[in-house]
Amino acid sequence: MLARFWGVRGSSATPLNSEEIRNRIAAVIHRVKPLDLVSSRARNQFLSALPEFLFSSVGGNTSCIEVRLMDNCVIILDCGTGLREFEKAVRKRKETILEYHIFLSHFHYDHLSGLPYFTALFNPRCRITFYSPEDQLENYIDDFMRKPYHPVGLDAFAATVHFQKIPAEGVDIHGARIKAMERFHPDKTYAYRIQEGHRSLVYSTDTELRPEDFDKSPENIHFFQGTDMLVLDSQYTLGEAINKYSWGHSSYSMAVDFATAFMVKRLFLFHHEPLYSDKDLLGMERSAKWYYRRMTGGKKSQLKIELAKEGHEIEIS
Ligand SMILES: [Zn+2]
Ligand SMILES: [Zn+2]
């Protein structure tokens, strides 16, 4: 199983602005010395020694993750603005995809705003299935895709589109089992667990962790224990999580606590705060790692903590 992040930002899309780009160039000019420019080797060395926040971006698109099963079947987790980046990448690879399985965590705009521009919807050869445990799934999409919010509605789709409510036992897609679990968030949200053979991925965005989520109940153990890749909301610092209690998001330290409690192998901090710069977010990643090391007393680390970054591809083996 393979996962690619195409949108990792929370709440609203956050493109790099001119001021930020200018500041980065100024910081690079400030660092460079004549010897760094004498040869292409020296220039490459200089560039590769720059801090990450100067030469790359965590990404500004909202939630969208592509998951590929072993047979290359495509599962999409949420349709934020990252969906467009996904389609761009598909075009670049010259790949033809005719079957999509789209799981929606919930219906807040940042998780749907890429959908009106999803060109597969207008391809008569495509078969697209939307999934959610919500009875009103089709109505919610219908409401979102209508005038005056968008010029065309569901009836304009040329693709074959289905809406499937996920039952308690989950759904099977090409040999993988996908289950849903409700999480705390305003208007509620669902986490998804994708299990294919012995590989597992859990996507739990827009999740405010509550004390009962840490219970070692059979349901929680079945859903989270030993997950290979956990993508978890960690929009806030602990101070923000306290000040914004019941806003529906978790802090990075709560995410680390949760991943540790359920012996997760890789934790991806996700749904990044739109007010934070790349430098802030990379600092948050460092803090999360420091917190984990402190908590485990510096023992050999079992949990790998990473910041979800747009364009990154993760092999789950
Ligand atoms: Zn969100
Ligand atoms: Zn939300």
Side-chain angles (χ1 to χ4, degrees):
M1 192 159 42
L2 186 108
R4 295 187 180 106
F5 290 108
W6 296 115
V8 296
R9 194 63 73 153
S11 309
S12 68
T14 314
L16 275 181
N17 61 28
S18 305
E19 188 188 351
E20 204 162 329
I21 293 168
R22 210 164 40 238
N23 288 344
R24 286 178 186 216
I25 293 170
V28 172
I29 291 171
H30 183 74
R31 280 172 161 82
V32 73
K33 296 184 176 58
L35 275 177
D36 296 322
L37 304 172
V38 292
S39 65
S40 88
R41 189 157 175 261
R43 287 192 290 276
N44 281 333
Q45 261 176 2
F46 169 73
L47 286 174
S48 56
L50 285 172
E52 191 176 354
F53 69 88
L54 284 179
F55 69 81
S56 68
S57 171
V58 169
N61 283 296
T62 63
S63 304
C64 182
I65 301 175
E66 167 193 0
V67 177
R68 293 295 181 114
L69 299 179
M70 294 301 284
D71 68 355
N72 219 22
C73 170
V74 178
I75 292 174
I76 304 283
L77 299 169
D78 277 337
C79 295
T81 61
L83 189 62
R84 182 168 266 184
E85 295 303 313
F86 160 71
E87 284 213 296
K88 269 198 235 168
V90 169
R91 274 198 294 278
K92 206 167 161 189
R93 289 197 296 265
K94 296 189 173 23
E95 192 181 359
T96 303
I97 302 171
L98 298 177
E99 182 184 330
Y100 293 90
H101 300 271
I102 299 178
F103 289 76
L104 297 169
S105 62
H106 62 315
F107 300 89
H108 286 166
Y109 287 142
D110 53 322
H111 299 261
L112 286 181
S113 48
L115 191 57
Y117 314 101
F118 186 41
T119 61
L121 287 168
F122 304 94
N123 180 347
R125 295 167 66 211
C126 283
R127 293 188 313 281
I128 301 168
T129 308
F130 290 92
Y131 300 84
S132 161
E134 287 291 318
D135 290 323
Q136 298 296 313
L137 168 63
E138 183 170 354
N139 288 340
Y140 291 156
I141 301 285
D142 188 26
D143 284 347
F144 177 72
M145 299 273 287
R146 66 166 62 218
K147 288 176 185 295
Y149 311 109
H150 190 62
V152 295
L154 289 185
D155 51 356
F157 294 167
T160 305
V161 178
H162 295 289
F163 297 90
Q164 186 169 335
K165 182 183 163 152
I166 304 173
E169 67 273 20
V171 290
D172 283 321
I173 296 173
H174 290 233
R177 167 61 58 105
I178 295 102
K179 287 186 149 194
M181 184 186 268
E182 190 179 328
R183 307 270 82 193
F184 179 82
H185 189 65
D187 311 311
K188 103 184 142 176
T189 190
Y190 295 93
Y192 290 112
R193 177 183 180 86
I194 305 174
Q195 180 85 40
E196 186 181 38
H198 65 273
R199 300 170 193 86
S200 55
L201 180 158
V202 172
Y203 173 61
S204 185
T205 188
D206 298 59
T207 299
E208 182 169 330
L209 290 165
R210 294 289 170 107
E212 58 272 24
D213 295 332
F214 289 79
D215 290 347
K216 290 299 180 86
S217 64
E219 295 77 22
N220 283 345
I221 286 177
H222 180 74
F223 206 90
F224 294 106
Q225 187 80 12
T227 299
D228 292 313
M229 176 175 177
L230 171 63
V231 181
L232 184 54
D233 183 328
S234 46
Q235 182 163 341
Y236 297 150
T237 62
L238 185 57
E240 286 167 337
I242 294 166
N243 289 331
K244 296 179 177 177
Y245 177 72
S246 83
W247 285 32
H249 300 287
S250 297
S251 71
Y252 65 81
S253 52
M254 290 155 78
V256 170
D257 287 341
F258 185 82
T260 307
F262 286 96
M263 299 171 78
V264 166
K265 293 177 187 135
R266 288 176 86 173
L267 167 66
F268 287 85
L269 308 175
F270 189 75
H271 205 266
H272 308 314
E273 167 61 46
L275 294 175
Y276 286 168
S277 67
D278 287 328
K279 195 175 178 183
D280 297 330
L281 293 173
L282 290 161
M284 218 172 205
E285 181 185 44
R286 277 196 304 279
S287 300
K289 289 177 178 175
W290 178 89
Y291 175 71
Y292 178 70
R293 280 197 305 274
R294 289 285 295 177
M295 205 175 57
T296 54
K299 287 185 211 127
K300 194 174 174 341
S301 174
Q302 299 299 315
L303 173 67
K304 199 169 174 208
I305 300 166
E306 293 158 76
L307 202 61
K309 293 172 191 157
E310 204 171 298
H312 274 201
E313 179 177 297
I314 315 296
E315 179 82 48
I316 307 165
S317 53

